[in-house]
């Protein structure tokens, strides 16, 4: 790990409503080791997050976790990628200045030739505003449920919501990315 890398305590405390938007053709890419420490990020990642590249290498990826994000989203992601499945999800990320940017994130495990997980890779692109408008209030409900009753409570809300819509999680996310509204 780089000795000058950032840690969660370096994340901004002054959260603002400033929003940055990815370009239509932009891709944010990062790779982590198996514990979630950043081992690679591209230039657009550093530009959006607002940190110098050298200080991001070795930092835990949770440096850019936004407090509005419910924990259930990351539990879902880690459960899937640790079992070598793909994760798709909308993520609100925290910038160094306390602002944020939304992405549709794809995360997957990188395997060696024997099938062992050696790292993880994430590629993100710009979500449509309609997807952000739909998912933000859902995340708010999940976060409130988590604060009341932990992840069992937020997990129940998410599952009940999907059951009511008669849609699987992946399908729900992909439909929102295509511009569907709930
Ligand atoms: C390849 C990869 C990319 C990730 N990208 C993000 C990200 O962009 N934003 C984020 O908040 N968490 C991301 N995570 C999840 C973090 O590792 C972490 O689970 C999350 O920030 C919640 O951290 P916390 O539970 O320590 O608060 C990523 C994980 C992996 C493996």
């Amino acid at each position: 790990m780089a000795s000058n890398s950032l840690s969660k305590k370096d994340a901004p405390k002054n959260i603002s409503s400033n929003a940055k938007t990815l370009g239509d053709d932009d891709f944010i890419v990062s790779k982590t080791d198996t514990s979630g420490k950043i081992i690679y990020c591209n230039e657009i990642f550093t530009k959006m997050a607002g940190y110098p590249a050298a200080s991001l290498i070795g930092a835990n990826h949770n440096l850019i976790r936004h407090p509005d994000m419910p924990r259930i989203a990351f539990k879902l992601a880690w459960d899937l990628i640790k079992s070598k499945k793909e994760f798709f999800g909308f993520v609100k990320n925290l910038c160094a200045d306390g602002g944020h940017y939304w992405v549709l994130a794809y995360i997957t495990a990188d395997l060696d030739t024997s099938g062992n997980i050696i790292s993880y890779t994430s590629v993100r692109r710009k979500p449509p505003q309609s997807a952000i408008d739909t998912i933000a209030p859902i995340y708010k409900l999940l976060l409130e449920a988590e604060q009341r009753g932990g992840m069992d409570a937020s997990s129940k809300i998410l599952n009940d919501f999907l059951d009511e819509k008669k849609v699987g999680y992946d399908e729900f996310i992909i439909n929102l990315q295509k511009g569907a509204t709930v």
Side-chain angles (χ1 to χ4, degrees), residues 30-32 36-38 45 59-65 93 122 124:
S30 64
K31 287 174 91 70
T32 71
K37 290 203 172 71
I38 298 170
F45 184 112
N60 190 307
H61 220 307
N62 70 7
L63 175 70
I64 61 164
R65 186 229 176 122
N93 274 329
S122 179
R124 305 124 179 132

Side-chain angles (χ1 to χ4, degrees), residues 5-165:
S5 52
L6 296 166
S7 69
K8 190 70 192 161
K9 67 175 167 37
D10 300 307
K13 311 288 178 288
N14 55 329
I15 308 298
S16 76
S17 57
N18 291 346
K20 283 191 197 173
T21 309
L22 265 178
D24 288 338
D25 300 324
D26 286 341
F27 287 93
I28 300 182
V29 183
S30 64
K31 287 174 91 70
T32 71
D33 66 10
T34 51
S35 72
K37 290 203 172 71
I38 298 170
I39 54 174
Y40 167 81
C41 55
N42 68 351
E43 203 179 325
I44 185 80
F45 184 112
T46 62
K47 196 176 123 198
M48 292 300 284
Y51 297 103
S55 61
L56 286 168
I57 303 302
N60 190 307
H61 220 307
N62 70 7
L63 175 70
I64 61 164
R65 186 229 176 122
H66 196 284
D68 288 353
M69 282 297 295
R71 286 177 64 208
I72 188 77
F74 300 115
K75 180 180 181 328
L76 190 61
W78 277 102
D79 285 352
L80 284 167
I81 62 175
K82 279 185 179 173
S83 52
K84 304 178 189 174
K85 295 184 185 127
E86 299 169 326
F87 167 78
F88 285 96
F90 294 101
V91 181
K92 182 177 188 177
N93 274 329
L94 182 60
C95 307
D97 67 359
H100 67 268
Y101 58 96
W102 280 94
V103 293
L104 172 69
Y106 163 80
I107 316 179
T108 191
D110 306 315
L111 309 180
D112 67 13
T113 50
S114 308
N116 302 308
I117 298 177
I118 48 172
S119 54
Y120 297 103
T121 299
S122 179
V123 181
R124 305 124 179 132
R125 52 179 310 185
K126 179 183 168 184
Q129 188 57 43
S130 57
I132 300 171
D133 292 345
T134 301
I135 209 78
I138 295 174
Y139 281 174
K140 189 163 184 285
L141 287 178
L142 294 176
L143 191 61
E144 285 164 3
E146 178 190 311
Q147 284 156 358
R148 278 196 314 272
M151 268 204 284
D152 285 349
S154 55
S155 169
K156 184 174 179 337
I157 294 218
L158 180 60
N159 290 330
D160 287 353
F161 174 83
L162 295 171
D163 284 352
E164 192 204 315
K165 300 284 169 213

